[in-house]
Amino acid sequence: MKIATWNVNSIAARLPVVLKWVAEAQPDVLCLQEIKCVDAKFPRDDFARLGYQVETHGQPTYNGVAIVSRFACQEVQRNFPDAEANAQARLLAATIAGIRIVNVYIPNGQAIGADKYVFKLDWMKQLRRFFDTTCDPNAEVLLCGDFNVAPEDRDVHDPQLWQGSVLVSAAERAALEEIKAWGFVDAFRLHHQDGKLFSWWDYRAVAFRRNAGLRIDHIWVSEALAARCKDVVIDKAPRQWERPSDHTPVVAEFE
DNA sequence: ATGGTGGATGGTCCA
């Protein structure tokens, strides 16, 4: 069972790259973030041809999440249960093959102290509450997506340069730990301890060639699911293809 | 060097 997460930065712009990767990597489940399209415009036929069904939670222009799956999606949940009707589309959950999969696009936060930063910290609090109220920590639960936080300095190419910035600040890391304390482990860190292993590189300043990146895309698992986790891989290949996303897929393998 | 690149959009906003 292969479960992947990928911020594609517009599914319309990224369709050739995503289809190529799916055909090659053969994930069972692919959680997408920043699809930047409404549900009706998602190219689900292209995925159906490859044997996948699609659940979407889109919105115009910004945000939007989707789950592409070989298996049936049950108990599909869009956004937090108590969210306003016009809330930003940043959460999509489904139970697939007995695993509760929660796909999130955590807000970027823009800059320390900005309105969007306050919104980010509040959204992360809501996410912790979502698990408190809707999930069982003893079950097989998987949280993945673009978390927009590098948990530790080893997840940052130049911690000195990034010190105090959005995506690495102490408050964001503390909010992330609060979510983790519900009962998650970082599946990637079960298998890899090195630093300088990133999932995102800025489009600017030839960041990818310099490996000037951050590890902000994550797959977290409950203890019960951690016991089945064989490996987690960051697949850097699609970041080098034509017209890439600035993020690359992270893939977890379960027995 | 306070920039730079890319996407949606059709002015700027967002990342």
Side-chain angles (χ1 to χ4, degrees):
Chain A
M1 179 83 169
K2 281 169 85 170
I3 302 176
T5 180
W6 194 1
N7 178 325
V8 292
N9 184 20
S10 167
I11 190 61
R14 216 63 61 210
L15 191 59
V17 160
V18 175
L19 292 175
K20 180 184 177 191
W21 184 79
V22 167
E24 287 179 10
Q26 294 285 315
D28 295 295
V29 179
L30 172 59
C31 294
L32 300 173
Q33 303 88 38
E34 269 203 285
I35 61 172
K36 291 184 172 176
C37 77
V38 296
D39 294 342
K41 290 217 172 144
F42 193 96
R44 59 189 75 231
D45 292 350
D46 293 282
F47 290 94
R49 264 178 234 118
L50 295 176
Y52 294 87
Q53 56 186 273
V54 179
E55 293 288 342
T56 57
H57 181 37
Q59 77 174 73
T61 313
Y62 302 119
N63 311 312
V65 281
I67 297 177
V68 174
S69 174
R70 278 189 166 136
F71 309 117
C73 295
Q74 297 167 313
E75 300 166 276
V76 176
Q77 171 71 39
R78 291 173 175 79
N79 264 355
F80 300 120
D82 54 351
E84 308 268 339
N86 63 345
Q88 297 180 20
R90 294 180 176 276
L91 183 146
L92 179 61
T95 302
I96 301 173
I99 303 172
R100 188 62 177 164
I101 296 176
V102 182
N103 173 23
V104 295
Y105 175 41
I106 293 181
N108 172 282
Q110 194 171 58
I112 306 292
D115 289 349
K116 290 189 178 69
Y117 182 77
V118 175
F119 175 73
K120 177 181 194 173
L121 294 176
D122 181 66
W123 201 92
M124 293 175 81
K125 259 188 194 165
Q126 290 184 67
L127 183 58
R128 167 62 200 251
R129 198 158 55 84
F130 174 77
F131 287 107
D132 287 336
T133 55
T134 73
C135 291
D136 174 6
N138 297 310
E140 292 188 337
V141 183
L142 182 145
L143 170 64
C144 70
D146 177 359
F147 290 12
N148 266 316
V149 182
E152 301 175 85
D153 280 353
R154 63 178 162 163
D155 302 313
V156 180
H157 70 95
D158 186 342
Q160 198 88 333
L161 182 70
W162 278 82
Q163 192 166 31
S165 303
V166 74
L167 310 190
V168 308
S169 75
E172 289 163 84
R173 286 174 170 177
L176 200 62
E177 283 305 309
E178 272 298 305
I179 297 164
K180 202 179 197 180
W182 176 80
F184 287 115
V185 295
D186 181 340
F188 181 76
R189 287 298 181 206
L190 285 174
H191 303 285
H192 306 281
Q193 297 312 313
D194 290 349
K196 310 292 179 199
L197 298 170
F198 308 129
S199 63
W200 168 85
W201 301 261
D202 202 304
Y203 283 122
R204 298 165 287 189
V206 290
F208 183 73
R209 257 190 284 167
R210 297 186 291 118
N211 197 31
L214 302 176
R215 193 174 70 91
I216 55 177
D217 300 272
H218 304 287
I219 299 177
W220 286 4
V221 290
S222 62
E223 293 285 354
L225 193 54
R228 290 175 53 194
C229 186
K230 297 286 103 186
D231 197 8
V232 176
V233 170
I234 300 175
D235 186 354
K236 287 173 74 170
R239 187 62 178 80
Q240 303 167 75
W241 296 348
E242 286 291 312
R243 282 194 85 190
S245 170
D246 44 353
H247 299 250
T248 213
V250 182
V251 189
E253 171 103 43
F254 299 92
E255 67 177 3

